[in-house]
Amino acid sequence: MASVSSQPQFRYTQPPSKVLHLRNLPWECTEEELIELGKPFGKVVNTKCNVGANKNQAFIEFADLNQAIAMISYYASSSEPAQVRGKTVYLQYSNRQEIVNNKTTADVAGNVLLVTIEGSDARLVSIDVLHLVFSAFGFVHKITTFEKTAGFQALVQFSNAETASSAKNALDGRCIPSYLLPEHMGPCTLRITYSAHTDLSVKFQSHRSRDYTNPYLPVAPSAIDGSGQLSVGVDGKKLEPESNVLLASIENMQYAVTLDVLHMVFSAFGPVQKIAMFDKNGGVQALIQYPDVQTAVVAKEALEGHCIYDGGFCKLHISYSRHTDLSIKVNNDRSRDYTIPNTPMMNPQPSILGQQPASAVGAAPQQYGGVQYAQTPTQPTMHHPPPAGWGPVPPAQSMPMQGHNPPPYMQQGTVPFQMGPGMMHGAGHPGLPHPPHMPPYQSQ
DNA sequence: AGCACA
């Protein structure tokens, strides 16, 4: 009747739907319990439990609208309320006509993981740390993070369900290794389910979202500072996401700084895996890759602001790169992969300088004197994967070098920096022009 | 006790 439809309705009534919305359920109510509840009234074709902030809501979908109406009608006039485990359950028609993302989405493997980071400091976990953690299992295409009632969450997109499930199996319920987290942070536990997403939409590189397949995606202005590095200020504190790859720029470069010089300087802190040099903004920059974040942190703190040569020449400015694994296409005078054994090096040269700790870059810069360098174009002692004794640790520095162990969930061969060339997947986009002064591996 | 993954 037309006159009825225009009448005001009760505030909380809904038009009928095959889908019923249930609330006040006991926590972690099961699908079986929902089916038990609905079965007397018809065929339950789908359910969704643990809905809402308190996980105490659910949906039941009947095969037929009349079955849903029968259930609502029954309990509307019954003296006994609907109950699950003795707890009164409130029913109404859902405002949707079908359950979307039915319960199987949490169980069917997909290429995108929904990650909930638990812990009082969960929101301090940077997207870069998440990237590092998940990259151990395969190329991570994209990450988005967001705050939900469930807490701080991230969606992590892999190439396929296989790599996603290996990450899920290894990481679900595990804590992020503390050395990847800012100091004084409590434990952060990862809870992982599959997302129904297959391809995340990332518009900007920012502190909340990243697309690692598209190096030329614009960076959100809010996420960068003057040096072009991400610096997310949480409670006003500057948080530079740490990385195992350092970006070094060289100021006042009166003398040539070669790959070998950089290798020698940075090797004092740990095995240098890869170096890539390139020109940017009229200067020289280099990416230096260590096997782990911790070594990079130590090197950065020791070297930042120091000069390679006496007299204030070749001053190093070091920040963390967002890369975790450089893709070295060819070993030459600007790029080198030291992890590949038996790779013929160009210009093999005798070693110089021995094991001078690089903390002495400032203290004993004459070791790297320009003249000496010019006369003996350098080749550090290491041609191959770093030997066990890759050099003394600068004694004056406090260097927790014990941390070369992989985090507990990482198995040999799956650590991020041993990932194959897929890591820098975006580098080879055929249709994308490389910006000037930007080598193909350089994402920003 | 009031609707699902940004």
Side-chain angles (χ1 to χ4, degrees):
Chain A
M1 297 209 272
S3 61
V4 171
S5 65
S6 61
Q7 292 298 316
Q9 307 262 313
F10 285 124
R11 186 173 171 189
Y12 292 121
T13 57
Q14 297 279 353
S17 165
K18 292 187 309 217
V19 182
L20 301 184
H21 176 231
L22 287 72
R23 53 200 154 82
N24 202 40
L25 287 159
W27 196 60
E28 292 196 339
C29 169
T30 65
E31 176 188 20
E32 287 70 31
E33 288 171 313
L34 296 177
I35 293 173
E36 273 315 295
L37 194 63
K39 199 163 58 178
F41 304 96
K43 181 172 172 54
V44 176
V45 295
N46 205 351
T47 63
K48 184 171 181 62
C49 26
N50 301 324
V51 166
N54 298 324
K55 308 254 185 208
N56 60 356
Q57 300 173 45
F59 298 96
I60 295 177
E61 181 176 341
F62 284 100
D64 189 85
L65 178 63
N66 290 330
Q67 298 166 351
I69 293 172
M71 185 167 181
I72 292 290
S73 303
Y74 174 83
Y75 285 113
S77 57
S78 167
S79 56
E80 293 290 320
Q83 291 185 322
V84 171
R85 290 183 228 164
K87 198 173 181 209
T88 297
V89 172
Y90 300 90
L91 301 174
Q92 64 187 148
Y93 297 115
S94 172
N95 54 24
R96 303 201 197 182
Q97 290 306 116
E98 60 183 10
I99 293 178
V100 296
N101 287 351
N102 64 23
K103 48 93 187 162
T104 58
T105 54
D107 302 324
V108 168
N111 66 318
V112 177
L113 299 177
L114 172 64
V115 181
T116 303
I117 299 103
E118 296 178 348
S120 54
D121 301 321
R123 49 194 43 73
L124 296 180
V125 175
S126 75
I127 199 166
D128 299 275
V129 166
L130 293 174
H131 181 236
L132 190 65
V133 167
F134 282 89
S135 291
F137 303 91
F139 177 64
V140 173
H141 288 232
K142 302 174 185 177
I143 300 179
T144 63
T145 62
F146 46 92
E147 296 273 351
K148 286 269 306 171
T149 50
F152 183 54
Q153 294 188 301
L155 290 161
V156 179
Q157 179 176 339
F158 285 95
S159 302
N160 51 51
E162 286 66 38
T163 47
S165 68
S166 69
K168 177 179 183 295
N169 292 338
L171 295 176
D172 190 17
R174 308 302 291 265
C175 295
I176 298 175
S178 59
Y179 70 81
L180 292 178
L181 301 173
E183 290 175 35
H184 311 307
M185 264 188 69
C188 290
T189 305
L190 301 173
R191 302 287 175 195
I192 304 176
T193 60
Y194 294 106
S195 164
H197 289 276
T198 56
D199 190 19
L200 306 174
S201 170
V202 175
K203 303 287 195 294
F204 293 97
Q205 312 284 19
S206 76
H207 60 286
R208 293 184 54 90
S209 65
R210 296 287 170 78
D211 181 345
Y212 301 96
T213 69
N214 183 359
Y216 309 119
L217 197 66
V219 174
S222 62
I224 55 175
D225 65 14
S227 69
Q229 287 296 296
L230 289 176
S231 62
V232 179
V234 180
D235 50 80
K237 188 182 165 198
K238 194 164 186 172
L239 279 181
E240 192 176 34
E242 296 174 348
S243 168
N244 64 312
V245 178
L246 297 176
L247 173 65
S249 59
I250 300 160
E251 179 191 323
N252 197 16
M253 201 169 76
Q254 301 291 311
Y255 299 104
V257 173
T258 64
L259 188 84
D260 296 322
V261 168
L262 290 174
H263 182 256
M264 178 180 56
V265 168
F266 284 85
S267 288
F269 303 91
V272 171
Q273 295 185 313
K274 301 174 186 178
I275 300 180
M277 299 177 69
F278 52 92
D279 298 313
K280 187 165 182 180
N281 302 331
V284 169
Q285 297 192 355
L287 291 162
I288 298 97
Q289 177 176 338
Y290 287 107
D292 53 73
V293 173
Q294 190 174 21
T295 308
V297 169
V298 171
K300 177 179 183 292
E301 288 176 2
L303 293 175
E304 168 57 31
H306 284 82
C307 300
I308 297 178
Y309 298 118
D310 226 350
F313 298 131
C314 304
K315 188 173 183 180
L316 289 168
H317 290 286
I318 301 176
S319 56
Y320 295 109
S321 168
R322 303 220 299 272
H323 292 286
T324 56
D325 189 17
L326 306 176
S327 175
I328 305 294
K329 301 281 194 285
V330 59
N331 282 340
N332 58 25
D333 63 347
R334 304 212 95 190
S335 65
R336 194 160 300 171
D337 183 345
Y338 299 92
T339 67
I340 300 175
N342 304 320
T343 301
M345 297 290 186
M346 297 191 176
N347 307 320
Q349 287 137 7
S351 74
I352 61 165
L353 300 180
Q355 308 296 329
Q356 181 66 33
S359 65
V361 162
Q366 68 278 5
Q367 280 288 341
Y368 308 117
V371 172
Q372 179 184 10
Y373 158 68
Q375 289 173 345
T376 26
T378 60
Q379 174 61 37
T381 51
M382 282 180 272
H383 301 264
H384 299 310
W390 37 257
V393 173
Q397 305 283 335
S398 67
M399 297 204 172
M401 300 302 272
Q402 72 279 10
H404 283 288
N405 303 322
Y409 54 80
M410 289 184 178
Q411 293 103 34
Q412 285 295 327
T414 60
V415 283
F417 31 80
Q418 292 177 347
M419 288 303 302
M423 286 300 294
M424 302 312 297
H425 175 270
H429 278 270
L432 292 170
H434 295 309
H437 307 299
M438 198 170 282
Y441 49 78
Q442 171 70 3
S443 71
Q444 289 302 325

